[in-house]
Amino acid sequence: MSGATHSARGFWPVMGQAFLWAFLLAVGVVVLYPLLWMGLGGFKSNSQIFDQPFALPQDWSLENYFSAWRGVQGYMVSSLLVTLVSTVATVLISARAAYGLTRTAMPAKPLITAFVLGGMMLSPTVALVPLVRMLQSLGLYDTHWALIILYTAFRVPFTTFLIRAYMLDLPRDLDEAAMMDGASPGQIYRRIILPLCRPIVVSCVVLHILFAWNEYLFAMIFTNSPGVQTLPVGLTSLMSKQGTDFAQVFAAMTLSALPIVIIFFLTQRYFIRGLTEGMAK
């Protein structure tokens, strides 16, 4: 009797693990299959995409990818510039703000914290009209700086929220020991606090890159020139220029998704660790 009970107790954990793996495999297929189908579509002809959408390519030529690259390389340069500059600016401002809100004494700190984090509740679509007029009056409309400023301004509250949540649980004994050794607040921030926050900083970098690289609304409204427009807008214009040549469109979409996939796989260890520890804290 005890043996049967022991077997029953061992059966359910095995079944639960099997169902978990089956669920994760199904989610993986749902996520990866569209990306694989899109990448393979770049090797097909336009007629094969419509006649045999789920078949393997008949000709594994890279001509569609070369043509797509020639069509989007200018937009990709703009996306790289805007994404890199806005990422650096957002993370530096947010990390410094989080340090001030958690490790320094300032009057009305709860009110300032609520004001900064309240920026997450501001909808970008509500502010479109005044932002257009403001950037036009400043001479920044249809420039890379317009997107850099907007991406930085709208992402600083959320990034500050994540880094602040991580810093709150860091032991203050480190600050006190460093101050006893003669370190200034700036040195404590640069040499102690910031290195300890590396996981959440990497997570914030990846999240901002993902946002800035794929953002479409601001890029469409605040830019007009092809030399300034970013990749999401370029993909739309490429589709209209190429008509029904979806093979080149799929190739261009694959090229646009490839940098994000590479960055995520290179930083996934820090990314997952930073988010899980930051949310837990």
Side-chain angles (χ1 to χ4, degrees):
M1 187 68 179
S2 61
T5 305
H6 179 73
S7 299
R9 289 177 179 176
F11 172 77
W12 291 111
V14 173
M15 288 298 297
Q17 190 174 14
F19 277 114
L20 177 61
W21 278 105
F23 173 75
L24 293 176
L25 181 62
V27 171
V29 171
V30 170
V31 173
L32 294 177
Y33 179 75
L35 296 176
L36 180 62
W37 186 81
M38 179 179 67
L40 292 176
F43 292 98
K44 299 179 181 180
S45 62
N46 204 41
S47 60
Q48 188 184 4
I49 290 178
F50 288 97
D51 295 339
Q52 300 173 319
F54 301 107
L56 291 175
Q58 297 176 352
D59 183 14
W60 293 88
S61 173
L62 292 173
E63 181 59 32
N64 289 329
Y65 281 91
F66 290 139
S67 299
W69 172 252
R70 289 191 292 269
V72 301
Q73 59 181 344
Y75 300 109
M76 188 168 288
V77 171
S78 294
S79 286
L80 284 172
L81 176 62
V82 171
T83 301
L84 289 177
V85 177
S86 64
T87 299
V88 173
T90 300
V91 173
L92 289 180
I93 295 173
S94 300
R96 192 67 182 184
Y99 178 76
L101 294 174
T102 56
R103 321 299 284 199
T104 61
M106 65 174 64
K109 182 184 291 188
L111 182 62
I112 297 175
T113 303
F115 178 77
V116 173
L117 300 183
M120 292 189 295
M121 295 183 290
L122 179 63
S123 174
T125 55
V126 175
L128 284 178
V129 174
L131 284 175
V132 169
R133 295 181 63 88
M134 182 184 70
L135 292 175
Q136 286 177 341
S137 63
L138 293 175
L140 296 176
Y141 185 81
D142 196 26
T143 64
H144 290 123
W145 282 110
L147 297 181
I148 291 171
I149 293 172
L150 291 174
Y151 291 173
T152 302
F154 278 94
R155 295 297 291 185
V156 161
F158 177 69
T159 309
T160 303
F161 167 75
L162 291 180
I163 301 178
R164 175 181 174 272
Y166 196 94
M167 284 185 181
L168 282 173
D169 206 51
L170 295 178
R172 294 188 176 271
D173 297 342
L174 297 173
D175 304 55
E176 297 174 359
M179 291 178 65
M180 291 178 63
D181 290 337
S184 65
Q187 291 174 331
I188 295 174
Y189 166 72
R190 293 190 303 270
R191 299 182 181 181
I192 298 177
I193 301 300
L194 203 56
L196 289 175
C197 292
R198 181 182 300 174
I200 192 63
V201 168
V202 173
S203 299
C204 292
V205 167
V206 175
L207 289 174
H208 186 90
I209 290 175
L210 182 63
F211 161 77
W213 189 262
N214 295 315
E215 201 280 327
Y216 178 76
L217 180 63
F218 282 168
M220 177 186 67
I221 294 176
F222 293 96
T223 59
N224 288 324
S225 305
V228 180
Q229 290 175 332
T230 55
L231 195 54
V233 181
L235 291 176
T236 305
S237 62
L238 177 67
M239 185 179 297
S240 62
K241 290 177 181 177
Q242 298 298 334
T244 56
D245 193 355
F246 289 99
Q248 289 191 20
V249 174
F250 287 155
M253 293 171 64
T254 303
L255 292 175
S256 68
L258 196 58
I260 300 298
V261 174
I262 294 174
I263 290 174
F264 178 78
F265 277 106
L266 291 177
T267 60
Q268 61 176 331
R269 180 166 62 95
Y270 288 107
F271 178 76
I272 297 172
R273 177 186 167 191
L275 284 185
T276 52
E277 292 183 1
M279 292 302 179
K281 296 171 182 180

